[in-house]
Amino acid sequence: MPSLFATQHFIMDRDDKKRNKSIGKNFMCRLQCMFSQSSSAERLTLEDIQQWPQSLERLLDSKYGLAAFRNFLKSEYSDENIEFWLTCEDYKKIKSSFRMASKAKKIYEQFIKAESPKEINIDYHTREQIKRSVKSPTIYCFDEAQKIVYGLMERDSYPRFLRSDIYRILLENLSTDATKG
């Protein structure tokens, strides 16, 4: 006769599986709702999600991949790297030198300065170089820090994301949906 502990453990495992499936479905719905307002309301596909493990670049090039990765990082309270990287990508598109100077200072205050709200993990030399370059910024002043942060994400958070419940459940749910037709 199974012990009370074994019975409770079985029930908890079964409940966890149901909850994970529900979490995956809810997360898929949220991802798709985020983009359903856009003009090209393509759906998240199994083919898309199967490309994410090929490289961090592939993941970030996918609007659903980027959204899933950001949500994963937020759930770990470690979203400063992706936020910095995305902010830098937007910064590089600025044409106005006035706007560039203003944005560079904001980026420095938010991500670079020691004890800043979303301080990224970069070395002292890079931090000091940025501190100097922000005084007369160019589109390249955050490039070195952005490379460092991308490398950190590629080596650390990206592999964790691929092993995460968020990714695994999305993949399982889309695989199940694809086999159902």
Side-chain angles (χ1 to χ4, degrees), residues 18-89:
K18 284 181 186 175
R19 187 172 27 261
N20 282 346
K21 188 169 185 140
S22 175
I23 288 168
K25 291 281 187 199
N26 289 340
F27 187 66
M28 274 179 34
C29 288
R30 280 194 321 201
L31 277 177
Q32 296 196 345
C33 286
M34 286 169 65
F35 298 107
S36 65
Q37 306 302 321
S38 66
S39 57
S40 62
E42 73 235 21
R43 302 191 65 75
L44 175 61
T45 65
L46 180 59
E47 294 77 30
D48 187 31
I49 199 170
Q50 287 173 330
Q51 290 184 16
W52 297 352
Q54 291 177 10
S55 70
L56 177 58
E57 185 177 352
R58 281 278 173 101
L59 176 70
L60 299 179
D61 283 344
S62 161
K63 65 181 179 180
Y64 291 115
L66 175 59
F69 189 53
R70 285 175 86 173
N71 275 300
F72 167 73
L73 292 173
K74 284 179 186 173
S75 75
E76 289 197 330
Y77 303 100
S78 63
D79 59 330
E80 66 281 345
N81 287 339
I82 190 66
E83 295 304 324
F84 172 73
W85 189 83
L86 291 167
T87 300
C88 289
E89 289 297 292

Side-chain angles (χ1 to χ4, degrees), residues 107-120 127:
I107 293 170
Y108 177 79
E109 292 293 323
Q110 188 173 22
F111 297 101
I112 307 299
K113 187 177 176 182
E115 306 296 323
S116 59
K118 293 185 175 187
E119 183 180 353
I120 56 170
R127 193 175 309 279

Side-chain angles (χ1 to χ4, degrees), residues 124-141:
Y124 175 80
H125 173 73
T126 304
R127 193 175 309 279
E128 288 301 305
Q129 174 196 357
I130 293 170
K131 185 178 181 178
R132 287 188 300 275
S133 67
V134 164
K135 292 175 182 163
S136 49
T138 68
I139 61 168
Y140 309 108
C141 66

